[in-house]
Amino acid sequence: MSAFFAAHQGLLEAAVQAARTRGYWSAYPETPSGKIYGETAKADGEAAFKALIGQPFPLDQQATTRVGRETSPYGFDLAISYPSAPVASLVAAAEKAGAAWARAGVEDRVGVALEILARLNRESFLIANMVQHTSGQAFMMAFQAGGPHAQDRGLEAVAYAYDEMAKIPGAVTWTKPAGKVNLVLDKQFRIVPRGVALVIGCATFPTWNSYPGLFASLVTGNPVIVKPHPGAILPLAETVRVARAVLAEAGFPADVVQLAADEADAPITKDLVLHPSVKIIDFTGSPAFGAWVRAHAEGKQVYTEEAGVNSIVIDATDDFRGMTGNIAFSLSLYTGQMCTAPQNIFVPRAGIETPDGHKSFEAVAEGIKISVDRLLGDPERAAAVLGAVQSEATLARVDAAAKGRVIRAAERIALPGYDGARAVTPLILAADAADTADYTVECFGPVAYVIATDSTADSLARAAGTAREKGAITASLYATDPAVIDAAADAFAAAGVALSVNLTGQVFVNQSAAFSDYHVSGANPAGNASLTDTAFVASRFRVATVRRQSAA
Amino acid sequence: MSAFFAAHQGLLEAAVQAARTRGYWSAYPETPSGKIYGETAKADGEAAFKALIGQPFPLDQQATTRVGRETSPYGFDLAISYPSAPVASLVAAAEKAGAAWARAGVEDRVGVALEILARLNRESFLIANMVQHTSGQAFMMAFQAGGPHAQDRGLEAVAYAYDEMAKIPGAVTWTKPAGKVNLVLDKQFRIVPRGVALVIGCATFPTWNSYPGLFASLVTGNPVIVKPHPGAILPLAETVRVARAVLAEAGFPADVVQLAADEADAPITKDLVLHPSVKIIDFTGSPAFGAWVRAHAEGKQVYTEEAGVNSIVIDATDDFRGMTGNIAFSLSLYTGQMCTAPQNIFVPRAGIETPDGHKSFEAVAEGIKISVDRLLGDPERAAAVLGAVQSEATLARVDAAAKGRVIRAAERIALPGYDGARAVTPLILAADAADTADYTVECFGPVAYVIATDSTADSLARAAGTAREKGAITASLYATDPAVIDAAADAFAAAGVALSVNLTGQVFVNQSAAFSDYHVSGANPAGNASLTDTAFVASRFRVATVRRQSAA
């Protein structure tokens, strides 16, 4: 047994168990506390991040040139450069390194993955700074979602993959009764990887969305090329650096994991996708590019998280202020740049019933507006909730959407401590159910529609229909009638959407917890895979058999 | 719990356990014995088969017309007609029936599947006649491979799918510590099917190759359209008839399983593949049509078994006559029409070592020829081993291949008791390693090449290389040096081929046992799926979640 596997075996077993029970479980503490991560961890992480700015990133892999033009959404250039090599050279290095990796035992590979995760966890403050200043997430979210939560998702993938590989017996004796004698074969089953794996990251959650595919492909024996979004290279460069260090310590070629950085005006992703040796692709990004990947990856195993149009359906509530407060937070968190953030809020045009009496459609919309205003009234809290906007294109979408009945206008705001940060508050619009051209299109970013419908049945049909046609990852329902809840559960299950019901407290529809929530169902256009189910790992390896006629 | 599930639960649990241990296990007796199947079962099965000839097949499903032009390879027309309806009508009926099927519980669905298998097993003699007179298999093989072994493969798929679905907890409480209070969500996980499933059967193993996909899609909640090969409709029509009867008895719409028969000059398979509601496709057939299916099924889950070029590598043996006898049987069984049958026999041109001393290349080739002659010398035994040839095209391929150095000529033979049967003995040719244009192309049917190579290393490189490029399902090795065996194990594992070593007795490389042998690795062009691993079942369903904020 490898030392790394031995060191982390207890954690692995707990993770496998958690994946089976899918209640609450987490391996890596989400609290950015000095007591947990070390009293100087916060300052050390920030200092380590600042020391990287303006420098060549210390990643020891083949390079014919260097690339990188990241800017922080908080208003400054990172000016960090990364090694760059031709796609063919990267793939060739992956294949060469992959031969030794394929021969390694399951426990060796899993041990390496668990050690990488452990070291990434210790670096969570550094990673947090890296995620903050590429994605634009506020620090707390960058720490949690970019650090421990991403690590949990990586561990979850390792646990599922390990569990599947452990199910394959290494050797068995097959004894078939055949009259007077037995027919006997000694059989060995060997796990064989698929080939070079490509992980295509996104700019908003560079680690959280990449770790599952990265670690699932890695432990199943495939060498991995990590292709970060050109706007969010740094967190994955650090991830690759750590992975290569652990691989080398364990006696494997560092090129089992490589970074493939590029710049927006000289993209290399398509060349990587099209390379015949690339056999597995994990993609997070836009539906437009996702469609291209799916169309050009025939014969390759492709796992995507693209995007969709998430809905809230309001039928009634027994806590109006809890409801509007919860919705306000969901719309504001990371400025609506989460794939799980709601866009469409369906409300009967006749209004809803609440403990405070009947509320008209307008009153519901106004209630949400007031809650957003209240949440974001304090600049420090607004900065902590909203963070910055990753891309100029998102701001442009907000501007373009601001037409018709504006319930709440988006406002450019300053983020305390950062000059030139790109920050904005949510835009909330009123719409009629008939205005489908506006609201059934995904508008990535802080844009929400409060939509007047004929009835809750109409709301459900529209929300589920949009999910089936355009994709959706989450849905949220407010209702007090069990029959309405059951109808919504049926409608959203059929559309492959995860439904949250009556969230009025400190759990939000945006949140997806590793080891419990299946993130993306794979059953509508928002993505073809789920984090993490067995299907996410089981096709990353194959089994080759050797049968020997027994000497007996 | 459904009555069907309760009746078969013990068998299911044993099957799940067998799938985990993958030693020898079988649910359905392979011996066509009156003691097992009933003293009159053989006669009853034959009579029931004969009563169907020349009649409309009694399948109660929608029909706008009737189709069917099957002929027995044993020399007579079946003249059986089957209901036919437009593709759009079949798919619409599947979707309608699928709604109720999706709502059924896992145990209800699994119970139905197990009852279908139990009834098919009781009909094994009838199915044997149906398989014999469509595929051309000799009766014993038609009974075993078409009956109990196919049923075992179906049960194996049910066991894997059940095991995966059983892993999804139905309901959990998620309790996250959050300081003074806990955050609590009640979560329900619901299994949602993918959509309409299509099973495309082949003419040579209509049941064995179709049952895994049929039963895997069925128990995971998908309605199934069974599209038989136009030359082998009958065994699948009977399978569908039994399935519909069980579904109806269990209170489900019979259209959860439908037959989509056609004729060779008016094929409907492409229309079925292209229908947007078809979400899962199981295909068995030629690489040419398989490539079309894969290219036109974007966004659909496709599982294929296509074909490949299987090799035997001979380095040395400690039982020359056992080896040649085993090879002779593998070449002759069902006239080489098995996807697992060997085509290329690589022998060093300098010959091999045996207990009887050195054998030249020519002596090895001659030894195989003599063993084939001996095996097929008795007409009754020849008929039992060879069976008939399913398709005229196979005979044409044998004729076209008969050029160059013929070691053993193919001979048209009569099959006792059948006038006009299409039967032929194997063609064996000698080739040089340089003649790649001849032997690296799949020649489906009873054609084998004995190929002179520079060395066993050369043999392994060529055999594994052909497997990687053209696909291969099986490989066979004869060697006495453990280093050679290890090298072969590595080479064929890397090429995704199941290797058998030193078979000299009554186990043959052609044979693939349910619950133990992974049939097709999915790791080379011979197919993209394996019977049966977790990957074969895990993507046939998705999970939808409902989270409710706990009242507590």
Side-chain angles (χ1 to χ4, degrees), chain A residues 185 548-550, chain B residues 316-327 476-478 501-509:
Chain A
L185 293 176
R548 301 183 196 211
Q549 183 170 298
S550 178
Chain B
T317 181
D318 54 14
D319 178 0
F320 185 73
R321 186 156 166 177
M323 175 183 82
T324 58
N326 191 282
I327 292 172
S476 183
L477 172 75
Y478 292 91
V501 181
N502 291 335
L503 300 184
T504 56
Q506 292 306 304
V507 176
F508 303 97
V509 67

Side-chain angles (χ1 to χ4, degrees), chain B residues 24 59 77 80 123 128 130 179 213 220 224 227 303 309 313 363 405 451 486 503:
Chain B
Y24 172 78
L59 187 64
D77 284 346
I80 301 173
E123 290 193 358
M130 293 170 157
T220 49
V224 180
K227 167 63 191 71
Y303 306 90
V309 181
V313 170
R405 282 190 288 156
I451 302 158
D486 288 349
L503 300 184

Side-chain angles (χ1 to χ4, degrees), chain A residues 52-312:
Chain A
L52 292 167
I53 294 175
Q55 303 296 322
F57 186 81
L59 187 64
D60 179 24
Q61 68 178 53
Q62 59 167 318
T64 50
T65 181
R66 299 189 72 88
V67 297
R69 288 194 199 168
E70 295 159 293
T71 61
S72 171
Y74 287 84
F76 56 93
D77 283 345
L78 296 189
I80 302 174
S81 70
Y82 305 90
S84 169
V87 163
S89 303
L90 291 169
V91 173
E95 288 191 287
K96 187 173 173 207
W101 190 239
R103 282 193 300 272
V106 169
E107 293 188 353
D108 287 337
R109 294 197 297 250
V110 169
V112 164
L114 295 173
E115 177 64 16
I116 295 169
L117 285 165
R119 294 192 193 181
L120 289 171
N121 179 247
R122 290 201 290 274
E123 291 193 357
S124 290
F125 275 99
L126 172 59
I127 299 271
N129 280 274
M130 291 171 157
V131 170
Q132 176 177 15
H133 290 293
T134 49
S135 71
Q137 289 172 22
F139 180 80
M140 178 63 102
M141 176 186 268
F143 182 91
Q144 294 187 334
H149 293 177
Q151 295 145 17
D152 272 339
R153 282 287 180 192
L155 177 60
E156 183 185 43
V158 171
Y160 269 89
Y162 173 74
D163 203 25
E164 276 314 304
M165 292 189 288
K167 271 169 60 176
I168 314 293
V172 303
T173 299
W174 179 87
T175 306
K176 178 177 178 175
K180 290 172 198 157
V181 296
N182 289 336
L183 303 178
V184 183
L185 293 176
D186 294 324
K187 302 188 182 187
Q188 291 183 310
F189 301 110
R190 196 186 288 210
I191 288 164
V192 289
R194 297 292 293 271
V196 177
L198 174 65
V199 177
I200 304 170
C202 67
T204 46
F205 289 90
T207 58
W208 197 96
N209 274 106
S210 299
Y211 283 4
L214 165 56
F215 285 98
S217 283
L218 190 63
V219 297
T220 49
N222 308 281
V224 181
I225 296 176
V226 178
K227 167 63 190 70
H229 188 283
I233 303 170
L234 184 57
L236 287 174
E238 177 62 14
T239 301
V240 169
R241 194 193 63 74
V242 169
R244 291 170 66 88
V246 174
L247 283 161
E249 280 182 43
F252 294 105
D255 282 345
V256 169
V257 178
Q258 295 176 96
L259 184 76
D262 65 0
E263 297 176 0
D265 55 0
I268 62 170
T269 310
K270 288 185 178 180
D271 292 339
L272 284 162
V273 169
L274 294 172
H275 196 292
S277 296
V278 169
K279 300 294 190 190
I280 304 174
I281 301 169
D282 286 88
F283 169 81
T284 309
S286 71
F289 197 61
W292 184 91
V293 170
R294 286 184 277 104
H296 290 81
E298 198 212 311
K300 307 184 181 203
Q301 193 69 42
V302 179
Y303 306 91
T304 72
E305 177 186 325
E306 302 177 42
V309 181
N310 303 318
S311 295
I312 299 175

Side-chain angles (χ1 to χ4, degrees), chain B residues 72-75 135-138 332 334-337 376 379-392 394-396 398-399 408-427 446:
Chain B
S72 170
Y74 288 84
S135 71
Q137 289 173 23
S332 303
Y334 187 30
T335 319
Q337 297 169 100
L376 305 179
E380 290 286 346
R381 188 164 66 187
V385 172
L386 294 167
V389 174
Q390 206 281 326
S391 156
E392 277 296 324
T394 298
L395 283 187
V398 174
D399 291 343
R408 185 186 187 286
E411 305 160 298
R412 292 293 301 260
I413 59 167
L415 298 182
Y418 292 102
D419 290 338
R422 194 158 50 213
V424 69
T425 65
L427 170 68

Side-chain angles (χ1 to χ4, degrees), chain A residues 311-315 344-346 456 459-460 463 476-479 492:
Chain A
S311 295
I312 299 175
V313 170
I314 303 179
D315 180 66
N344 292 340
I345 304 167
F346 292 97
T456 292
S459 299
L460 286 175
S476 182
L477 172 75
Y478 292 91
F492 287 114

Side-chain angles (χ1 to χ4, degrees), chain B residues 176-183:
Chain B
K176 177 176 178 175
K180 291 170 197 156
V181 297
N182 288 335
L183 303 178

